[in-house]
Amino acid sequence: MDLGSSTQYSASQSAEAMGFLAMAGFDTNQILSALPGTLSLAAAGDMDLAKSADIASNIMTGMGIEAERMQEVADKMAMAFTSSNVDLRMLGESFKYAGPLVQAAGIGFEEAAATIGLLGNAGIQGSQGGTALRGGLARLLNPTKAVTDSLEEMGLSLDQFVTDEGKLNPMVDMLRALE
């Protein structure tokens, strides 16, 4: 009720968002901690509060990010979609397809969001962006002969992309190598 009286969203809209966070597995304390960030995200994305909560919690779960970091994640999501050619829905769609592999590959949330934004700037948005990112990462993590041959033709080697531990190098370094 307090959030309903102190924000542009009603108490019932806040309760609906809480319901989505609960369905995502957040406990009561996590929901109360996450809700202010969710409200900020919904306002920045000019989107329904419950849908924003659903998108944000899905991304956080897929990336293995704790609920207590919602405000930080909401700020980074807002930065990604306000500085690129994607919106909150597209960002959520991209992470739905790429998030778990991005997280497993050792790529941080901020790097992934920026990469999705760059793909969006090139018109590769939403599920297409997530699929493209996931496919590219999978090919680097489990390269075929065609991948290694293509890299060699460009004067590159796989170690410019993958660490000895089997994780990917930072996206910025990989993009510089490809540049």
Side-chain angles (χ1 to χ4, degrees), residues 1-5 7-20 35 39 48-51:
M1 288 174 56
D2 181 50
L3 291 169
S5 67
T7 69
Q8 71 189 50
Y9 298 101
S10 69
S12 61
Q13 289 171 314
S14 295
E16 190 176 358
M18 289 177 177
F20 275 101
L35 201 55
L39 290 161
D48 173 78
L49 181 56
K51 186 62 182 167

Side-chain angles (χ1 to χ4, degrees), residues 41-143:
L41 182 64
D46 193 28
M47 182 181 278
D48 173 78
L49 181 56
K51 186 62 182 167
S52 296
D54 187 32
I55 292 170
S57 63
N58 289 346
I59 290 172
M60 292 176 69
T61 300
M63 290 291 296
I65 301 171
E66 309 84 33
E68 293 78 17
R69 293 182 52 204
M70 177 64 88
Q71 184 64 57
E72 172 194 349
V73 170
D75 289 345
K76 290 177 181 178
M77 282 192 274
M79 174 64 84
F81 69 74
T82 59
S83 61
S84 66
N85 191 17
V86 298
D87 61 20
L88 181 55
R89 286 182 198 280
M90 292 175 191
L91 191 65
E93 273 294 301
S94 293
F95 269 104
K96 178 169 67 173
Y97 287 88
L101 182 58
V102 163
Q103 192 260 346
I107 296 172
F109 171 76
E110 192 170 349
E111 272 187 295
T115 302
I116 289 168
L118 289 173
L119 288 169
N121 289 347
I124 306 168
Q125 302 163 324
S127 59
Q128 289 178 333
T131 301
L133 180 57
R134 182 185 67 209
L137 298 178
R139 285 180 189 90
L140 288 172
L141 291 168
N142 191 16

